[in-house]
Amino acid sequence: MAMHKDKQESRGLLYSLLGDLPERGRPISAELLNKKDCGGYILETLLLDLNGIEPVPAYVAKPKNAHGKLPCVVFNHYHGGQYRLGKDELILNGTFSSHEPYAQTLTGLGYIAACIDVWNFGDRSGRTEDELFKEMLWNGRVLWGMMMYDYLRSVDWLVSRSDVDESRLAAMGLSLGSTASWWLAALDERIALTVDLCCATDFDELIRTRGLDEHGIYYYVPSLLKHFSASDIMALIAPRKRLSLNGRYDKLTPIEGLYKIDKDMKEEYARCGVPNNWRMVIDDCGHMETAHMRSEIVKFLRENL
């Protein structure tokens, strides 16, 4: 791990690699489309103007009869080639998990949970991923950069809400949502807690094992490896708390890469004086959330958020 000494400078460099992005300071607006009583929680369906290019559909799930400012979990949906699912993973679950939907779990813990449809997913689907990547590339944009921009701006919007405690923000997700969560926490210090499932991928080990095609094209950022390893990006999260859960047989996260990341993060968190703020769990499974993982996540959130 070739860590950059100044983390703010490194965040700026990492952000600069994400292509031509809209202005961060542009106003954000939100239109409430529907509010539904889902038993234990209220589900808001919204349309956000985050980027000035196309509207961003979103869900916000809130504990029923809640008052005051609440902790908020930025829930990032997975990919899995299920472009129509998108933010519905929050309320339905899908291919990689057989447990209760996270909207139910998180609001049951007393948290607000928010999820957006990122580019090409949910109510933003209709183009192929390759088509969108190519169009953006021609215009100097990077698909992952535009996704990250929307994630960052969604946090800007969430902290403006009167019911969100901006000092108690968490990011979590599986697969694409996992990568989104640790990148978001690396770029945005407002994320106090990170939970990532099944995508703590070491880039060099992915290349060595010829696993590049296991990830969608959205994932690839020009010139990234000239400046950052996966561990370099993840180190920007330290000293904030992080739980990383992965499968031993997951081809998206080669096992030797997991061992390397775990070693690097233990060293970085120890250097920051908070060794207990990092933990990696490796279950004997593939690309999925196990019952053990769900239990560990709930325990981690209860103790830290």
Side-chain angles (χ1 to χ4, degrees), residues 223-254:
S223 297
L224 181 65
L225 299 192
K226 292 180 180 179
H227 305 281
F228 293 93
S229 67
S231 291
D232 290 333
I233 299 171
M234 294 177 186
L236 298 176
I237 302 172
R240 289 165 287 145
K241 295 183 179 182
R242 180 177 168 205
L243 174 64
S244 181
L245 307 105
N246 301 276
R248 186 177 304 278
Y249 310 121
D250 187 349
K251 293 181 180 179
L252 278 74
T253 55

Side-chain angles (χ1 to χ4, degrees), residues 79-95:
H79 187 306
Q82 298 188 43
Y83 296 100
R84 278 296 294 130
L85 183 65
K87 68 184 182 302
D88 281 348
E89 183 199 348
L90 177 66
I91 61 172
L92 298 176
N93 263 338
T95 301

Side-chain angles (χ1 to χ4, degrees), residues 38-67:
C38 296
Y41 66 91
I42 302 298
L43 183 69
E44 298 176 6
T45 303
L46 304 112
L47 202 57
L48 309 179
D49 178 10
L50 300 180
N51 55 56
I53 300 170
E54 68 175 41
V56 180
Y59 283 149
V60 173
K62 183 176 179 179
K64 202 169 180 181
N65 303 317
H67 301 285

Side-chain angles (χ1 to χ4, degrees), residues 54-282:
E54 68 175 41
V56 180
Y59 283 149
V60 173
K62 183 176 179 179
K64 202 169 180 181
N65 303 317
H67 301 285
K69 290 182 176 290
L70 303 178
C72 181
V73 177
V74 180
F75 183 90
N76 303 310
H77 67 72
Y78 64 68
H79 187 306
Q82 298 188 43
Y83 296 100
R84 278 296 294 130
L85 183 65
K87 68 184 182 302
D88 281 348
E89 183 199 348
L90 177 66
I91 61 172
L92 298 176
N93 263 338
T95 301
F96 303 115
S97 177
S98 59
H99 316 296
E100 70 177 12
Y102 264 105
Q104 188 175 338
T105 297
L106 296 172
T107 56
L109 291 169
Y111 312 143
I112 289 173
C115 185
I116 64 170
D117 281 329
V118 295
W119 290 86
N120 229 32
F121 285 87
D123 288 346
R124 302 171 81 178
S125 62
R127 293 164 289 189
T128 68
E129 190 172 313
D130 281 0
E131 175 188 359
L132 187 57
F133 185 91
K134 291 169 184 175
E135 179 186 338
M136 286 190 175
L137 194 62
W138 260 356
N139 286 288
R141 295 187 177 126
V142 178
L143 181 51
W144 183 238
M146 295 298 286
M147 288 178 169
M148 286 311 307
Y149 178 88
D150 283 358
Y151 290 126
L152 289 162
R153 293 298 276 157
S154 72
V155 175
D156 292 342
W157 174 72
L158 284 168
V159 300
S160 75
R161 288 179 56 116
S162 61
D163 54 0
V164 169
D165 183 349
E166 63 181 296
S167 69
R168 300 172 71 190
L169 297 180
M172 73 168 295
L174 182 148
S175 197
L176 179 156
S178 168
T179 307
S181 296
W182 55 262
W183 270 75
L184 179 59
L187 287 167
D188 196 331
E189 292 182 278
R190 293 174 296 183
I191 302 300
L193 208 68
T194 308
V195 178
D196 52 278
L197 296 92
C198 301
C199 245
T201 306
D202 180 78
F203 307 142
D204 292 332
E205 190 63 17
L206 190 68
I207 293 169
R208 190 189 71 79
T209 58
R210 299 187 63 192
L212 295 178
D213 282 346
E214 299 294 334
H215 294 265
I217 197 169
Y218 77 89
Y219 184 79
Y220 297 95
V221 175
S223 297
L224 181 65
L225 299 192
K226 292 180 180 179
H227 305 281
F228 293 93
S229 67
S231 291
D232 290 333
I233 299 171
M234 294 177 186
L236 298 176
I237 302 172
R240 289 165 287 145
K241 295 183 179 182
R242 180 177 168 205
L243 174 64
S244 181
L245 307 105
N246 301 276
R248 186 177 304 278
Y249 310 121
D250 187 349
K251 293 181 180 179
L252 278 74
T253 55
I255 188 64
E256 292 300 325
L258 291 177
Y259 295 153
K260 180 180 184 301
I261 286 170
D262 188 37
K263 176 179 179 292
D264 289 342
M265 292 305 99
K266 283 176 177 175
E267 290 175 357
E268 178 63 17
Y269 276 80
R271 188 188 69 79
C272 292
V274 284
N276 293 332
N277 282 5
W278 158 261
R279 183 167 175 242
M280 178 177 281
V281 172
I282 300 176

